[in-house]
Amino acid sequence: MRAFRIAVEAQDMGAAVALLADDVVFHSPVAFRPYHGREVVGTILHAVSRVFQDFRYVREIGAPDAADQVLVFHARVGERDVEGADFLHVDEHGRIDQLTVMVRPLSAAHALAEAMAAELGAR
């Protein structure tokens, strides 16, 4: 999903959120239960944009018109380097209805969980 990549790389979370379906399901790399709905997922995207430093996508996997695509990224959380992937699924209207994020290594996932808890708790 090229539009999502462009929005995230530009740190335009409003544009990224606008690409989400109303009933989007977000699977976090650090939470067991998924999050539901554009408003909740939008809050998470805004928070993660403040937590990740030097965020950049490095690869796209999948055909441009496919319903499923993967955007591979690198970033930092504090002193931890993060490698990750955004798995996107779009519905029949071209809206993202599923977003699953995976990160590695484990130490980076822990740093992300702590930073996100602090960021969301502060708001």
Side-chain angles (χ1 to χ4, degrees):
M1 160 134 287
R2 190 84 176 137
F4 185 80
R5 177 180 182 161
I6 290 168
V8 170
E9 288 181 328
Q11 294 189 352
D12 185 350
M13 290 305 114
V17 172
L19 297 169
L20 303 177
D22 290 338
D23 59 349
V24 64
V25 177
F26 174 71
H27 297 272
S28 165
V30 297
F32 177 73
R33 289 189 173 83
Y35 296 93
H36 297 269
R38 181 187 292 154
E39 185 176 332
V40 170
V41 176
T43 298
I44 293 167
L45 289 178
H46 283 281
V48 80
S49 74
R50 293 185 294 271
V51 166
F52 277 148
Q53 302 154 352
D54 301 327
F55 182 92
R56 66 202 177 285
Y57 285 116
V58 296
R59 189 173 335 131
E60 295 180 28
I61 301 170
D65 58 346
D68 292 292
Q69 302 203 7
V70 180
L71 299 173
V72 180
F73 65 84
H74 291 172
R76 278 185 312 105
V77 176
E79 298 299 315
R80 296 284 179 202
D81 289 328
V82 179
E83 270 186 303
D86 292 339
F87 293 81
L88 306 168
H89 181 272
V90 295
D91 65 15
E92 65 276 4
H93 306 292
R95 299 280 182 198
I96 298 168
D97 63 356
Q98 287 187 38
L99 171 57
T100 300
V101 179
M102 295 188 183
V103 298
R104 66 163 303 281
L106 183 59
S107 60
H110 286 298
L112 177 61
E114 290 172 12
M116 286 297 290
E119 181 67 29
L120 292 170
R123 304 209 174 266

